[in-house]
Amino acid sequence: MAKDDLFAGWLVASDIDGTINNKIRRMPKKNKDAIENFVSKGGIFTLASGRNPQSMKTIFDKLPIKGTPAVVMNGAGIYDYESNEMLYFFPMSEEAMRMVINASKLFPLIDLLIITKDMIYVTGAGWFGKAFVRYGSLDHRCIRHIEDVPRENWGKVVFSGLPSHIRRLKKHFESLNDPDLSTVSSSVASFEILAKGVNKGTALMKIADTMGIRKSHVGAIGDYFNDYDMLKSVGVPACCGQAPYAMKKIAEYVTCHCNRGAVADFLGYIRNKAEMNY
């Protein structure tokens, strides 16, 4: 293996907000430079985010990774930006959608975003949801009653509201007996529902399997609990310095704070591992 191919056979994925981006949603230049160097030496880099494909595109296009599929919607989809198509999509079941609708009636003060394969639906009063889609200039439809949202291709549902309301909602879903869905905390003010068994980790490892990359050479970095399953799935898990303690416990490497270039820090760690095997 030539030195220019130092990272051949490696796949590294990064979360976006609070990881590759800093706390004001800007990418530190050192992250971009480190990714370019990683790719130039044979590495494969991609993004794994809770965002939908439209929301991720601007960030994806800044990086030299156009030919690599990305994990979107916290693992509900795998998207190819080169062909502009969803390669894999893992929709919620009828039973999961029914449980979401029931929860929306039990917690009417919590907003819902229903993110499907092709559209975002904002339901209820939608103050949190409307702020989200307007900030990203995302294609969406506002539908007052959740029963009027088409029941097909629901990739993920985001409940948004006051932290106290979200805590009660979380306890509600935790009380259900073996529900046909997966849950994830994406912030103190939001809670997400996906198809059972779906998370960033399952989607990322599907990409790795498709590319023939060994688990020991798959790395991932994140900063919050929606990255937890991804870190548990890969061979080299890392988290940002500001991540919760539970994330640090499962990480092989804890980087600096995201404001200081966490992804560049992690790729430096990957470099050391690659050089040991060179």
Side-chain angles (χ1 to χ4, degrees), residues 11 46 68-71 78 202-212:
L11 168 65
T46 193
T68 307
V71 177
I78 298 175
T202 55
L204 178 58
M205 292 312 298
K206 188 168 186 65
I207 293 174
D209 290 343
T210 301
M211 293 183 166

Side-chain angles (χ1 to χ4, degrees), residues 99-110 112 123 146-147 159 169:
M99 286 187 281
V100 166
I101 292 171
N102 289 342
S104 72
K105 295 175 181 177
L106 291 172
F107 300 91
L109 297 180
I110 298 179
L112 274 83
T123 71
I146 191 171
E147 291 90 346
F159 291 89
L169 174 77

